[in-house]
Amino acid sequence: MAADLSSLLTSSKALTSHLSRPELPNVNLSLEQIEAQSRRLVSRQPGASADTGRANYLLAQAHVDAPALSNSIAHLNTSTTFAPLQPLQDTDISGYLRHAHEQNVISTIEEARRETQEEFYRLLNERSQKDWEARKKRVFEELGGRAGGDGQAGVEWNRSHHTKNALSLSTGPSPNLQMQSKMMAYDRVVSDLNAARLRGLSYPIVNSLIQASLSIHSDATQQITQNFHILAKITEEPPALPPLEHAGAHILNTPLFERKYARAYLGDPASRDAADLRRQIARGAREAFEEQYFDVLERTVQARPFEARLGGDPSVANKVRAFLLVRYYRGGEWQERIELVASQPLWAKLFYLVRTGHHQEALAEALQYQQAIEHREDSFVSHFRVWIESADRRLPKPHRDHIQSIYNAHMLHSTTVDPFKLALYKLMGKLDSSRRTVPLVTATTEDWLWFQLAMVDEEENGGLRGLAEVLLSYGKRHFEGAPGQKGARSGLWAAVLLVCGEFERAVAALWDHPETEIEAVHLAIALAYHGLLRAPSRAETSDMTPLSLVPNAPPALSLPTLIWRYVRQFVKMDAKEALQYVYSVTLSSDQVAGGVGQEQLENAWDLVRRIIILANTGPAWDELVGGFRPDGTRFSGVIEQGASLLKLHDARQFNDLILVRAAKHSEENDRILEAIKLYNLAGDYQTVIACLAQALGNTLAQPNGGGEKGKAIESTAAEIVRHYERTNRAVGKEREAVVRLLRIREALDAKAAGRAELALEVMESTDLIPLDGDVAKINRRTEEFKDLHEALQRSLQTYLPLAMDAIAGVYQRTKASSASDAGRQMTLAALRKKSRSLMMFAGMLRYRLSPDVYSYLARLDVEIAL
């Protein structure tokens, strides 16, 4: 039958072989396909799409069975997607377990992928929001305002920043009363710090900041105060320096604080000094948590005396016993899993003695109950003694191996072991560091952090740097919670970063919150003073954030950026106080890598110049920059008195880098009086005269002589010229030009007062205009005009009409007078001669005069000639 069908197919094809066209494709379809296509062609439904039919036709030409695929998809059963490829027998336990394991792995991968995707988008959203907030804050600062606040201030000065970026130096609004009181509490610390630096003395800045914080909050439990306390323990700074009789003994008998840790912190992180510093950071942070917790313990006992049953024994061990009663004793029973030794929770007692830093008391307690302890845990007391007496809380390897074996055998997988005993074993042997929590032991964030610090070993698991990586991976939200969330603790993330040595990040974390910006600035200053702050290079500094994060490099913080954003709020009101903060920028001048130290000095000098420019003028400004007494002697200002803090060791450096450059900026921004004073203080007398000549020339051409500003410039110029004439300074053409310009100002004032004779007399004394009719002299004056000072040349259109007005005024008054006719005619003839001479001179310089001015002169000359 099959053969008959095959022969039939072959013969049927042969019937049309002579009609075949090679360019047309062969259609090979099954009977079902032919039937489906036929039905589709015959019974086209009204809503069917022509495009769908055309697509199916094209797919069929490519030998794609679209209807069959659609049917397969419609009847696809996904319930068996993850079923075994081969059926499992009921007795195939290993196969079932293998399949279940594979399914668990697949589910875990999918869940991890989903969580990773969600975390990515969450972090992306947070980062975008943070960047937007930073940019918005930056824009408000540049416009002279504060995000979320009101107030306006104009832009005072724009300058080129790093030769590329334009940096706006506007000042923000005045801080509110609460902020002012906080700022005043802290700025005294900065002033005292600089006073000590000038005298070459050490200063306990961190402890002073603690006192300032307490004066504001009056509560030692405030997170900011605790942060300063942590730093005080890390730096080993004493609460106060011992009072000594004289400064020399003070210097010899006090420790050196300034930049004490800079070499280890800024140097090779793999060096021995750096490792010792990290051990000190961990130890200091741990001791700070111990002191804070003992304070909590004492306040808890005092708050609940009935439950504590402290009695008359004031010892530390008795206070710990009382605390345990309050915390873990309820209804006549101790909390579950707390093991009693000698009828008391001895493991908890030993732990809390260690937790509060009373190690010797803990050892004494263990020795007192040694027999009972050894009955439960053999050799514990001997291990405990070695651990307590070791300098770095690190057991020798034999002891650690023994503790490890006990821990693995009896505690690792036990669900009933006393958590405090478990914690003690983990601490002594630094065991199982990957498990970072212990029930009841790590109940609070501070407890957890203390436990991590106590487990840190610089020789294992990356030490403190490894802990820092773990804490950074948790992130801010893990510790502080979401912004606005109930129970969120502002400043806690900064404390977390401090304890693991991430000091730059800690400052940035405080700076991110408006309510802790002030503390961020002062924490940065304290860190820089102790040498625990890394400054970025100029290329790495960002205008958006003070924190610099560069791949494959440790974090860095731009103290100049932080300082300026802080002091710009009050630089106009109190420039001297702003200057005190700028002095702290030079603390990082010893950071030699990449020339960063020199850049920090240049940043400090730049900030000083900004303060000079933005400070309000007046007596306070003179006190800031210096000035001259009535007798001509010079007195130094606050900036010059603190020049050594700016690393300026002679007057020439101070003049060139501070005064002269600030004067140039003032001159460029049309603050001529300040520029003149600064040039004068710097001893650049020629430039002073040049500025005076330029300013006087400008005011002469202005309506009303420049108003009050013009009068101030005139007064200053007259005073300086008199002083220079007495001391024979700045002799030359420019000083002569200033004298002539002052005489022109005097003539203008005389004319305005209606004293034409005096105005004419003053103008003749300048010897600028030939008025005697001598043609040769007029020609000579015309030739000499091009050699006059540029300010005098520009003032030609001012003093020629002034002179002609004076001549015309005297002429009209003389003509109307009742004097004798002969004398009056002689005077009128002399005035005509002066007028004619002035017109000849003006005609030779007509190319320098506007047509209106020349026409005005000609009209007056005609009136005088008639």
Side-chain angles (χ1 to χ4, degrees), residues 571-742:
V571 64
K572 282 192 170 185
M573 299 179 294
D574 195 347
K576 290 191 297 181
E577 198 59 49
L579 182 67
Q580 296 296 322
Y581 283 89
V582 172
Y583 287 149
S584 62
V585 175
T586 60
L587 287 168
S588 300
S589 62
D590 59 352
Q591 188 173 328
V592 296
V596 174
Q598 181 61 32
E599 290 178 354
Q600 295 301 298
L601 286 180
E602 293 172 0
N603 289 332
W605 301 335
D606 181 48
L607 293 182
V608 171
R609 294 192 292 265
R610 298 187 197 185
I611 291 174
I612 293 174
I613 296 299
L614 293 175
N616 288 323
T617 57
W621 193 79
D622 292 339
E623 187 180 353
L624 181 71
V625 301
F628 289 91
R629 300 181 181 90
D631 60 358
T633 58
R634 184 181 184 278
F635 63 88
S636 61
V638 176
I639 299 176
E640 190 172 1
Q641 293 167 11
S644 61
L645 296 179
L646 297 170
K647 310 299 180 183
L648 301 173
H649 303 295
D650 55 56
R652 181 177 179 182
Q653 275 188 314
F654 176 75
N655 291 338
D656 292 344
L657 296 173
I658 304 297
L659 296 181
V660 172
R661 294 194 184 184
K664 289 179 179 178
H665 286 301
S666 296
E667 185 180 0
E668 292 169 0
N669 289 273
D670 197 28
R671 300 184 62 170
I672 301 302
L673 286 176
E674 289 86 345
I676 290 169
K677 290 181 179 180
L678 291 170
Y679 280 128
N680 197 26
L681 288 169
D684 193 352
Y685 306 120
Q686 291 293 341
T687 306
V688 171
I689 292 297
C691 285
L692 285 174
Q694 188 76 15
L696 287 170
N698 292 338
T699 58
L700 284 177
Q702 295 174 1
N704 196 26
E708 293 298 325
K709 181 179 179 181
K711 292 180 180 179
I713 292 175
E714 179 186 358
S715 175
T716 301
E719 181 181 349
I720 289 178
V721 166
R722 285 195 299 269
H723 178 65
Y724 283 8
E725 287 176 344
R726 289 196 305 269
T727 56
N728 197 31
R729 290 174 177 167
V731 178
K733 182 175 70 173
E734 289 187 329
R735 194 178 84 178
E736 182 182 352
V738 172
V739 173
R740 287 178 165 180
L741 289 166
L742 286 172

Side-chain angles (χ1 to χ4, degrees), residues 190 193-194 197 205 258-259 521-522 524-529 533 559-560 562-564 567 578-589 600 604 607 645-646:
V190 177
L193 168 67
N194 290 324
R197 292 173 62 196
I205 181 172
E258 184 170 345
R259 308 299 291 173
V521 172
H522 294 85
I525 293 174
L527 288 167
Y529 180 65
L533 196 72
L559 188 58
L562 207 66
I563 292 295
W564 181 248
V567 303
L579 182 67
Q580 296 296 322
Y581 283 89
V582 172
Y583 287 149
S584 62
V585 175
T586 60
L587 287 168
S588 300
S589 62
Q600 295 301 298
L607 293 182
L645 296 179
L646 297 170

Side-chain angles (χ1 to χ4, degrees), residues 128-162:
S128 301
Q129 185 68 20
K130 184 176 180 181
D131 289 346
W132 162 240
E133 291 297 333
R135 290 180 181 276
K136 184 170 65 173
K137 181 178 179 181
R138 178 70 172 165
V139 169
F140 271 98
E141 288 178 350
E142 297 301 338
L143 294 177
R146 180 178 290 273
D150 52 10
Q152 290 182 336
V155 175
E156 296 288 343
W157 181 35
N158 291 323
R159 60 180 290 274
S160 174
H161 183 57
H162 305 332

Side-chain angles (χ1 to χ4, degrees), residues 370-492:
Q370 181 172 3
Q371 185 176 357
I373 294 174
E374 298 289 352
H375 181 71
R376 305 280 184 106
E377 297 292 339
D378 186 30
S379 70
F380 171 84
V381 176
S382 62
H383 295 316
F384 193 63
R385 180 200 291 270
V386 174
W387 182 67
I388 291 293
E389 293 177 349
S390 62
D392 55 355
R393 296 284 183 273
R394 195 169 191 272
L395 288 176
K397 190 175 186 306
H399 289 269
R400 292 187 67 183
D401 291 343
H402 188 202
I403 287 179
Q404 181 78 64
S405 63
I406 296 174
Y407 176 81
N408 291 340
H410 304 293
M411 300 180 190
L412 180 58
H413 301 294
S414 174
T415 58
T416 60
V417 65
D418 188 309
F420 297 102
K421 179 168 69 173
L422 176 68
L424 287 171
Y425 271 89
K426 283 175 67 71
L427 290 175
M428 287 191 297
K430 301 187 186 300
L431 307 176
D432 200 11
S433 58
S434 60
R435 296 188 180 185
R436 299 185 176 276
T437 59
V438 179
L440 296 183
V441 174
T442 56
T444 66
T445 301
E446 287 80 3
D447 290 332
W448 187 86
L449 288 173
W450 176 87
F451 196 79
Q452 310 312 310
L453 293 168
M455 293 282 288
V456 163
D457 190 335
E458 277 303 311
E459 298 180 10
E460 297 179 3
N461 302 318
L464 189 64
R465 288 183 291 177
L467 176 61
E469 292 178 1
V470 172
L471 297 177
L472 288 172
S473 68
Y474 288 158
K476 175 182 176 181
R477 183 185 292 267
H478 180 82
F479 294 95
E480 287 191 357
Q485 181 180 347
K486 184 178 179 181
R489 295 174 57 184
S490 177
L492 181 59

